[in-house]
Amino acid sequence: MSEMNQRLERLLGKVADLGAEADLIASQDRSFSLKADKGELSEYKVTGSQQIGIRLIKDGRVGIAYSEALDEPALDAMVQDALDASRFAKADPDQRIRVAGSRLETRDPTILQPDETPVDDKIALALRLEGEMLRREGVKGAPYNAYYEGSSELWLANSLGTLCHHREASVGCYTTALIELGGRQSMYYQGLSERRFADLAVDGLIETIYGTALGLLEGEAVPTGHYSVVFSTNAFSELLGCFSAALSGKWAMQGINPWRDKLGQSVASPLLTLESRAHMPGGMKIRAFDGEGAATTDLLLIGEGELKTLLHNSATAHHFGVAPNGCAARGARSSLDVAPRHLVFGLGPHQEQQVVSGRYLELVKLDGLHSGADAVSGDFSFGASGFLCQDGERIQPVRGITVAGNFYRLLKEVEAVGNRLHHDDGKGFYAPLIRFGDLAVTGK
């Protein structure tokens, strides 16, 4: 038995002696990051952390505590802190330890690959991210640039004999183009996420960032009106993130999810299907178990526009009298919540040429999303930049516009859905090109 497993077993024994039950999450993380500034390294950072967190339940009351020190006195104090916190908590009949005897381990060799890349090569990449961008015409700076990598190991154990284990590693980088030409300025940022250093396609990243920033430089507002819109995958991921609470069983349990009474009803265009997928090739959210130790599975959230289910943990599922669906989320420091794995919009019936036929706005940059979005009502208003397009060709850069509408209504105003899948920078969100109709734009 590993040293960490022994710690968790001892703590669960202590919890049992208190007449309580608990689940424990232990994690060990290592990260390494490099940043460049004016041709030299401005950051060379190696960090590591470890912690154990407990969700203790006694007499129907929940207490949360954690410790970054793993010696016995510190962990005993953590248990006592959780017990004390539970005494002041409101009784919660929905929260119990319910996942019994789970022994899941993530066994996917693609998410934990050996790295023998010399550090000098990683330094060279960090310097190159800035250096190659600065050599391009009009670029006055690359203020945000970095190479980073990390590895993590996680254990989850509970009073019902569950003991799960997960390990993974990843690498990534990002950079920026700040362009000043002819008295005008524009900036664009993007990143990459991979499992191996050798897979970081830096040349393509630099080309995309520079090309987009340069393309936006001469951007002007389009006339005020209603437009068909295609969001870039990154922009659409950010937009959906503002309203993801509509998929949350926890928000539904709290009475603030606008879709809480919509199961079996139409909430989107029949062209839209949305899943939470446990595994996507190259995905960054692969894990065999959820935040309670239940198996992660593929889950149909919206099927042909109809809401099929919400994201549930054992507590929200108990509240609504439904089966949990492997979407519990909890970290060592946090309370029980819900979260999807990879969010994947299904492919549609249209060729991409059909999606981008005619005139439309391609939006690649959204500003002020969270301050301009109301997750309950669905209303949003935020700044945007992109391109006015005709039949897939960018014909005019667009800046200085405000787009406004209602997200839940927008999902029903779909004009076309493409037949090829794209992913965002973080490889946790996947969608084909989707063309939305009748989005209000305030311009000139």
Side-chain angles (χ1 to χ4, degrees):
M1 181 182 292
S2 73
E3 184 178 0
M4 185 62 77
N5 288 351
Q6 289 176 350
R7 285 194 185 100
L8 298 177
E9 185 177 79
R10 187 187 75 81
L11 287 171
L12 289 172
K14 185 175 180 64
V15 168
D17 291 341
L18 295 172
E21 59 180 1
D23 59 18
L24 298 161
I25 292 180
S27 63
Q28 293 179 340
D29 303 285
R30 176 191 173 277
S31 65
F32 172 52
S33 62
L34 300 163
K35 294 182 180 179
D37 183 34
K38 299 180 177 64
E40 297 182 353
L41 283 184
S42 61
E43 177 180 289
Y44 184 115
K45 183 185 293 184
V46 179
T47 60
S49 64
Q50 58 182 9
Q51 56 190 335
I52 294 180
I54 184 170
R55 178 175 65 118
L56 182 145
I57 305 172
K58 183 174 173 62
D59 300 328
R61 303 173 188 272
V62 180
I64 303 290
Y66 75 94
S67 174
E68 295 180 351
L70 304 189
D71 57 277
E72 285 195 16
L75 294 177
D76 288 347
M78 175 192 73
V79 173
Q80 187 61 49
D81 287 345
L83 181 65
D84 292 342
S86 72
R87 293 184 177 125
F88 295 97
K90 187 180 296 186
D92 187 346
D94 293 313
Q95 287 209 47
R96 293 289 306 274
I97 304 301
R98 292 190 171 91
V99 179
S102 177
R103 296 281 166 156
L104 294 170
E105 181 164 4
T106 309
R107 300 184 182 277
D108 187 332
T110 67
I111 69 171
L112 186 65
Q113 302 189 48
D115 177 26
E116 298 178 358
T117 306
V119 173
D120 286 348
D121 290 358
K122 298 171 183 178
I123 293 174
L125 185 145
L127 294 172
R128 180 181 163 207
L129 286 168
E130 182 197 40
E132 289 200 15
M133 195 66 78
L134 290 176
R135 282 194 290 272
R136 292 170 183 258
E137 181 185 7
V139 175
K140 300 301 181 184
Y144 308 108
N145 67 88
Y147 166 79
Y148 55 90
E149 62 184 44
S151 61
S152 63
E153 189 165 9
L154 183 143
W155 296 260
L156 189 152
N158 70 23
S159 298
L160 298 182
T162 285
L163 180 59
C164 300
H165 183 239
H166 172 85
R167 294 179 67 198
E168 68 173 288
S170 62
V171 300
C173 64
Y174 58 84
T175 190
T176 320
L178 173 60
I179 297 178
E180 292 181 8
L181 280 172
R184 300 178 69 91
Q185 185 180 91
S186 70
M187 187 169 74
Y188 189 71
Y189 158 99
Q190 198 166 313
L192 289 173
S193 298
E194 296 289 355
R195 296 293 183 182
R196 301 191 312 151
F197 179 87
D199 293 335
L200 290 172
V202 174
D203 289 340
L205 177 67
I206 293 172
E207 289 291 341
T208 297
I209 293 171
Y210 177 73
T212 304
L214 186 63
L216 290 172
L217 186 67
E218 299 295 331
E220 301 285 354
V222 292
T224 295
H226 288 75
Y227 291 79
S228 294
V229 169
V230 175
F231 294 94
S232 71
T233 309
N234 280 334
F236 189 31
S237 174
E238 293 170 359
L239 179 62
L240 180 66
C242 293
F243 300 97
S244 59
L247 300 170
S248 169
K250 184 172 182 179
W251 274 53
M253 186 171 70
Q254 295 170 343
I256 53 177
N257 183 337
W259 285 353
R260 62 187 178 276
D261 300 318
K262 299 286 189 180
L263 285 176
Q265 299 180 34
S266 173
V267 295
S269 163
L271 292 171
L272 291 185
T273 290
L274 178 62
E275 295 178 84
S276 171
R277 289 193 192 170
H279 184 275
M280 288 294 289
M284 291 292 163
K285 294 191 174 183
I286 296 170
R287 202 169 79 186
F289 54 93
D290 72 359
E292 292 182 284
T296 54
T297 60
D298 294 345
L299 182 66
L300 181 63
L301 299 168
I302 299 173
E304 297 181 348
E306 181 182 301
L307 183 63
K308 299 296 187 180
T309 189
L310 299 175
L311 304 170
H312 284 296
N313 56 41
S314 68
T316 63
H318 181 265
H319 180 85
F320 289 107
V322 299
N325 50 28
C327 294
R330 192 171 88 79
R333 304 185 183 198
S334 62
S335 57
L336 190 61
D337 205 337
V338 297
R341 303 315 298 167
H342 306 87
L343 278 176
V344 183
F345 277 91
L347 299 179
H350 303 102
Q351 299 288 328
E352 289 198 342
Q353 297 93 322
Q354 295 174 283
V355 180
V356 298
S357 65
R359 183 162 291 207
Y360 62 95
L361 279 177
E362 176 196 6
L363 298 183
V364 301
K365 187 178 178 184
L366 307 177
D367 300 311
L369 266 75
H370 291 279
S371 61
D374 186 324
V376 177
S377 71
D379 293 336
F380 63 83
S381 177
F382 43 77
S385 302
F387 302 90
L388 184 64
C389 301
Q390 180 73 39
D391 296 326
E393 298 293 327
R394 293 173 172 177
I395 60 174
Q396 178 189 329
V398 176
R399 298 168 67 185
I401 62 171
T402 299
V403 295
N406 183 280
F407 182 75
Y408 306 124
R409 190 161 57 245
L410 185 71
L411 291 180
K412 296 184 176 183
E413 296 172 343
V414 174
E415 296 177 338
V417 178
N419 61 356
R420 189 160 69 92
L421 212 56
H422 305 268
H423 61 74
D424 67 346
D425 288 354
K427 293 188 176 178
F429 175 84
Y430 296 75
L433 293 184
I434 301 174
R435 181 167 172 150
F436 298 94
D438 202 37
L439 187 63
V441 173
T442 302
K444 60 183 180 181

